[in-house]
Amino acid sequence: MTAFREAVIDLAAVRANVAHLRELVGTRHTMAVVKANGYGHGAAPVARAALEAGADWLGVADIDEALTLRAAGIDAPLLAWLHDPDADFAAAIAANIDLGVSSVQQLRQITAAATRLDRIAHVQVKLETGLNRNGVDEADWAEVFGLAAAFERVGRLRVRGVFSHLANTSPADDQAAITSFDRGLAAAATAGLTVDLAHLASTAAALRLPAARYTMVRLGIGIYGQSPFSDADSAALGLTPVMTLRGCVAAVRQIAAGDGVSYDFLWRAATDTTLALVPLGYADGVPRQALDGARVLINGVQFPVVGRVAMDQFLVDVGTAAVAVGDDVVLFGDPAAGAPSAAEWGAAAGTINYDIVTRVGARVPRRYIDADAGTGDAAGGQP
Ligand SMILES: *Cc1c(COP(=O)(O)O)cnc(C)c1O
């Protein structure tokens, strides 16, 4: 079956990636990060597969993303860490969502919401350790931990974890962040807090910086089978790409030497040749920016993308190959199956694999397959 356009999501690959990473990393806890609709793969199906493979925490950025997972029936431990200034903390507390705390103000808002509900809020304090994004500044650690300990004593709060995030800039920068994070853990202990979870590493540090593993790692890109590194591909890390973006050839056209192709005639044929039209465009997440080196797989052969990518479509120069309307086209997938990688598309577009998979648009249906559950589509294949 050749779909017009689709993203095939292999849930068996998610499980294999999670199991492989857990084995390598060996921490007591593993968080699967499924923010941004599971990096474009579908948050709920990926979350379920990751939990089946032994992940025991889920992580998202926004409370809304966490509530969507709860509405899908997922009751696993779940942390949300990036909050709207007007966030509905009560809804999150009522849904048993752990809340990242990045300021004294958030700590007070969360505790007030817990008091109104007569519930205990579970929080994890995010420390600023060098990235300069979200997180409590070191100057405020004593105040935040002191206040949190006081709220714990009156039964309004439980500080379940302390965490931060690395810049992955250099070994020296990451070591400085680890040293800073250790000072933060000491400050929490000084305030009388006993935290179950300390976590600093995302996929990159989980793989290459054992000192950053603590009691939990937060695995995002790796569970999707993509490498966080420019010097090691998925296969080198023992990971299987989860998403295959594909479509079918919508038209085939012969053109003459000198003919221009697509808007602005960025490309002109050097010789008489044949073009195949692929029905995915920037509305579907195919990058519009310069695509020197982007290729697609048709009938077992990789062909170059030529000319400007439009909103709904782009062209491929197939030369003299026998390509027909309806033939299957793979934009990216598993290189072990001959497909270009998301990382190669990233390199061609001046970006990274994270950006390529996450941007796949809402118009592209996701189709879930699960090799372990049989041969065909996963049961309940809707996210
Ligand atoms: C997105 C994110 C992660 C996951 O990072 P990967 O590089 O995809 O593994 C972990 N922690 C935080 C705070 C994040 O925002």
Side-chain angles (χ1 to χ4, degrees):
M1 185 207 64
T2 300
F4 189 52
R5 51 173 90 90
E6 67 176 3
V8 180
I9 311 298
D10 181 354
L11 297 174
V14 173
R15 283 197 300 271
N17 293 331
V18 170
H20 175 67
L21 291 166
R22 285 187 69 226
E23 170 94 25
L24 276 181
V25 171
T27 43
R28 173 189 281 272
H29 300 284
T30 309
M31 176 181 285
V33 178
V34 295
K35 62 191 181 188
N37 193 30
Y39 291 38
H41 296 64
V46 169
R48 287 190 200 99
L51 293 166
E52 281 162 18
D56 59 345
W57 274 87
L58 299 172
V60 292
D62 302 2
I63 289 172
D64 283 350
E65 295 179 307
L67 292 171
T68 301
L69 289 169
R70 287 289 186 251
I74 293 171
D75 58 9
L78 174 54
L79 173 66
W81 56 68
L82 184 59
H83 308 308
D84 185 327
D86 300 317
D88 185 356
F89 291 123
I93 295 164
N96 280 320
I97 294 161
D98 277 39
L99 293 164
V101 168
S102 285
S103 66
V104 174
Q105 157 103 351
Q106 282 178 356
L107 184 66
R108 290 190 183 282
Q109 289 173 318
I110 291 166
T111 308
T115 303
R116 280 196 304 278
L117 289 176
D118 197 22
R119 296 267 305 239
I120 297 179
H122 288 88
V123 301
Q124 303 195 27
V125 179
K126 176 101 187 266
L127 302 178
E128 161 50 34
T129 58
L131 190 57
N132 282 313
R133 263 172 21 177
N134 217 0
V136 181
D137 280 330
E138 184 157 358
D140 299 327
W141 290 351
E143 183 185 0
V144 164
F145 287 134
L147 201 55
F151 290 146
E152 263 200 7
R153 283 193 294 272
V154 296
R156 283 295 160 224
L157 205 70
R158 167 82 187 111
V159 180
R160 192 164 2 219
V162 172
F163 72 115
S164 188
H165 196 45
L166 293 168
N168 302 319
T169 302
S170 70
D173 288 301
D174 286 344
Q175 187 50 56
I178 288 173
T179 304
S180 166
F181 189 62
D182 287 339
R183 283 198 303 275
L185 294 175
T190 299
L193 295 167
T194 310
V195 299
D196 298 334
L197 299 171
H199 46 115
L200 180 60
S202 58
T203 303
L207 287 169
R208 289 196 172 164
L209 196 59
R213 289 174 183 163
Y214 296 91
T215 60
M216 181 162 78
V217 292
R218 300 185 304 268
L219 302 176
I221 201 74
I223 72 175
Y224 304 98
Q226 299 289 335
S227 170
F229 306 120
S230 53
D231 64 355
D233 62 13
S234 301
L237 301 176
L239 301 172
T240 305
V242 169
M243 181 189 291
T244 300
L245 183 64
R246 51 194 285 276
C248 70
V249 174
V252 173
R253 173 181 313 283
Q254 317 295 326
I255 61 168
D259 283 354
V261 169
S262 190
Y263 295 128
D264 308 325
F265 290 168
L266 293 187
W267 186 84
R268 285 178 188 274
T271 57
D272 294 359
T273 191
T274 304
L275 300 177
L277 181 68
V278 181
L280 289 98
Y282 59 79
D284 306 302
V286 179
R288 181 176 180 275
Q289 58 269 39
L291 278 179
D292 242 3
R295 304 175 78 81
V296 302
L297 180 72
I298 306 176
N299 301 333
V301 181
Q302 290 193 8
F303 297 105
V305 175
V306 294
R308 178 78 88 197
V309 171
M311 188 181 293
D312 314 302
Q313 50 197 297
F314 66 86
L315 292 150
V316 175
D317 179 11
V318 299
T320 57
V323 170
V325 170
D327 284 355
D328 186 46
V329 182
V330 176
L331 283 74
F332 61 80
D334 189 350
S341 65
E344 286 166 335
W345 274 84
T351 184
I352 54 175
N353 50 359
Y354 289 67
D355 192 19
I356 296 294
V357 296
T358 303
R359 276 175 192 271
V360 170
R363 188 168 66 178
V364 179
R366 272 60 168 177
R367 182 163 63 89
Y368 294 91
I369 61 168
D370 191 338
D372 296 347
T375 49
D377 295 45
Q382 288 304 307

